[in-house]
């Protein structure tokens, strides 16, 4: 594996651990796709640094368990914004 890829993978892992964020937030921060970040953190990182991989997997597992809650909150927020816009148009 190229050294630059290994460096990026480790940086992504530490970013996820530091921010306790999501794959999406890490992808946005690095300017790469979610698929790439997920592959980096679930396949490449295991070969590079297994201890770091185990820590990252804990966060990814929590994110997986909470995603339905985040999705519900996002949908609720979306419809609240739409309601406000509709109310402003009526006035």
């Amino acid at each position: 594996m190229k050294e630059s890829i290994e460096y990026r993978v480790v940086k992504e892992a530490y970013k996820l651990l530091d921010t306790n964020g999501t794959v999406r937030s890490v992808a946005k921060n690095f300017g790469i796709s979610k698929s790439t970040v997920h592959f980096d953190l679930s396949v490449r990182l295991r070969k590079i640094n297994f201890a770091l991989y185990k820590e990252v997997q804990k966060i990814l597992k929590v994110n997986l368990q909470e995603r339905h809650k985040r999705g519900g909150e996002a949908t609720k927020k979306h419809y609240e914004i739409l309601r406000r816009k509709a109310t402003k148009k009526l006035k």
Side-chain angles (χ1 to χ4, degrees):
M1 203 176 319
K2 288 186 179 179
E3 187 175 314
S4 62
I5 293 174
E6 291 177 358
Y7 180 72
R8 182 192 72 212
V9 170
V10 172
K11 280 179 57 176
E12 290 170 9
Y14 280 117
K15 183 67 172 179
L16 184 77
L17 291 172
D18 290 344
T19 62
N20 203 20
T22 62
V23 169
R24 186 179 297 242
S25 66
V26 173
K28 189 174 185 179
N29 187 271
F30 283 87
I32 54 180
S33 73
K34 295 181 302 180
S35 301
T36 302
V37 172
H38 189 269
F39 186 78
D40 286 350
L41 296 178
S42 59
V43 177
R44 289 184 176 138
L45 185 59
R46 185 175 186 160
K47 296 174 185 174
I48 297 169
N49 185 333
F50 190 73
L52 186 57
Y53 165 81
K54 301 261 301 180
E55 292 298 314
V56 166
Q57 288 306 305
K58 290 177 187 175
I59 292 176
L60 293 179
K61 184 177 178 182
V62 169
N63 288 344
L64 182 64
Q65 293 170 343
E66 293 178 350
R67 74 178 176 186
H68 68 282
K69 294 176 188 173
R70 288 191 188 120
E73 290 171 7
T75 301
K76 181 180 176 181
K77 183 178 177 181
H78 172 73
Y79 282 105
E80 285 176 358
I81 291 169
L82 290 179
R83 261 187 243 111
R84 285 190 209 131
K85 287 181 181 179
T87 306
K88 287 181 182 179
K89 286 182 180 179
L90 294 175
K91 291 183 180 180

